[in-house]
Amino acid sequence: MKKKLLLCVWFTLLFASIGFLFWQNEFKYSLPTPIPKNYHDIAMGSKINLSQCCPFDNKPVFFHFFNPDCPCSRFNVPHVSDLIKKYGDRINFKIVVLNKHKTFTIEEIQQKFGARIPVYFDEGIAEKCGVISTPQAVLLDPSHNLYYRGNYNKTRYCTNAESNYAQMAIDSLLKQNNSPSFNALALRAYGCSLPNCTK
């Protein structure tokens, strides 16, 4: 009887541990990011005043909001690197690092993406763009109007080419189309919450 009880307790602990690990490493990142109480929504098409970091040069601006400690951010580094390589001559790419726990250098971040592009550590950029989680993409047209704010893909590994939302937004803007319409999976924030970038 004792043996059965011990075995039952052991299996319960094992399944509880597996469930906890699944929650910590996978499931919680598939849930929408909670919207902060003081969140001020920035509508698509709004003029974004970022003159301190983005002088006008007739090119669109793409912000990658990134936290090196966020699993979702780490998984999409290769995808963002590919976007920079593919569109870097037509779009001003910028990385905004949002992390309150560690200090990173500009060179460390540039090395992760294999690109010498501007890197900022200013939470105010996220606030002005209406970003509440990492990773998030923000695309501004050449006049600094908000063209797209959302996710890169419906999978955090960016493996589904049919839902490369950020890339679709870039292609649409470069073809001078109206802002594309996306489903909730593209526009609802997922990933690691701000300001501490942890769920």
Side-chain angles (χ1 to χ4, degrees), residues 30-50:
S30 68
L31 299 174
T33 303
I35 296 172
K37 287 178 185 175
N38 60 347
Y39 177 68
H40 177 65
D41 187 36
I42 310 297
M44 293 297 174
S46 298
K47 176 80 79 179
I48 308 295
N49 180 11
L50 293 167

Side-chain angles (χ1 to χ4, degrees), residues 53-55 57 59-65 76-96 109-110 113-120 136-140 152 166-167 169-171 173-174:
C53 67
C54 307
D57 68 354
K59 275 189 184 180
V61 180
F62 187 101
F63 286 102
H64 172 52
F65 291 88
N76 88 339
V77 167
H79 179 65
V80 175
S81 297
D82 288 344
L83 292 178
I84 293 168
K85 285 176 192 156
K86 185 172 181 180
Y87 300 100
D89 59 331
R90 293 172 283 169
I91 291 179
N92 289 326
F93 281 89
K94 297 168 188 298
I95 297 172
V96 182
I109 301 301
Q110 289 174 336
F113 290 89
R116 295 191 60 79
I117 61 174
V119 176
Y120 302 93
Q136 283 283 281
V138 165
L139 181 61
L140 307 180
Y152 285 87
Q167 184 170 353
I170 290 171
D171 288 335
L173 179 59
L174 292 176

Side-chain angles (χ1 to χ4, degrees), residues 60 87 91 139 147-148 165-182:
Y87 300 100
I91 291 179
L139 181 61
Y147 188 83
Y148 175 77
Y165 304 123
Q167 184 170 353
M168 291 174 189
I170 290 171
D171 288 335
S172 177
L173 179 59
L174 292 176
K175 290 174 185 168
Q176 299 185 337
N177 293 338
N178 291 328
S179 293
S181 58
F182 288 112

